[in-house]
Amino acid sequence: MTKLSRSPAALLLASILPLCCTAPASALNSDVGALHASWRGCLHRNFDLQALVTSRTLAVESAVKSCRASEAAYLAALSTSPLVDDEDVSRVRPALIQRAKGWLLQKASGTRPL
């Protein structure tokens, strides 16, 4: 698949994410928003604990690994949207993980909260 054909899925997911987390519209959206919040909370808790005993970089990796179940639940809920499918979600997962790692590292440096 070309890079151009991946862009619409990434843009679609990027546009759905804020709506799912803030819009009170449907039960599906609130479920996705709640699962996203749960995943974020898991990442923050695990990062904060690990950062006390190890480097920030290792703490990020540990948090991502520890929160795989929350991440999987969130991504599964996203894939139930009629606008995206499992293939779209799996294509954008690496970028989502990189973004989460960046959020955690930025949080640690105090520049921008998740």
Side-chain angles (χ1 to χ4, degrees):
M1 202 162 260
T2 67
K3 189 173 189 171
L4 289 177
S5 63
R6 290 182 192 169
S7 295
L11 290 173
L12 180 61
L13 283 176
S15 66
I16 289 174
L17 178 63
L19 295 174
C20 294
C21 297
T22 59
S26 71
L28 173 64
N29 283 348
S30 64
D31 289 346
V32 171
L35 289 168
H36 181 257
S38 175
W39 177 55
R40 279 190 347 203
C42 180
L43 289 170
H44 283 290
R45 283 187 306 278
N46 281 282
F47 175 80
D48 290 343
L49 289 172
Q50 288 298 315
L52 293 173
V53 296
T54 189
S55 73
R56 292 182 4 210
T57 305
L58 291 175
V60 166
E61 294 300 326
S62 178
V64 168
K65 190 179 292 187
S66 296
C67 297
R68 290 252 165 96
S70 296
E71 172 201 332
Y74 167 59
L75 293 177
L78 275 180
S79 69
T80 63
S81 167
L83 301 175
V84 296
D85 60 21
D86 291 336
E87 187 178 313
D88 294 331
V89 172
S90 61
R91 262 197 312 266
V92 298
R93 182 187 175 272
L96 180 68
I97 297 302
Q98 284 305 113
R99 178 179 276 180
K101 288 177 180 181
W103 289 333
L104 291 171
L105 288 172
Q106 287 176 348
K107 172 190 180 246
S109 66
T111 57
R112 185 177 72 151
L114 177 65

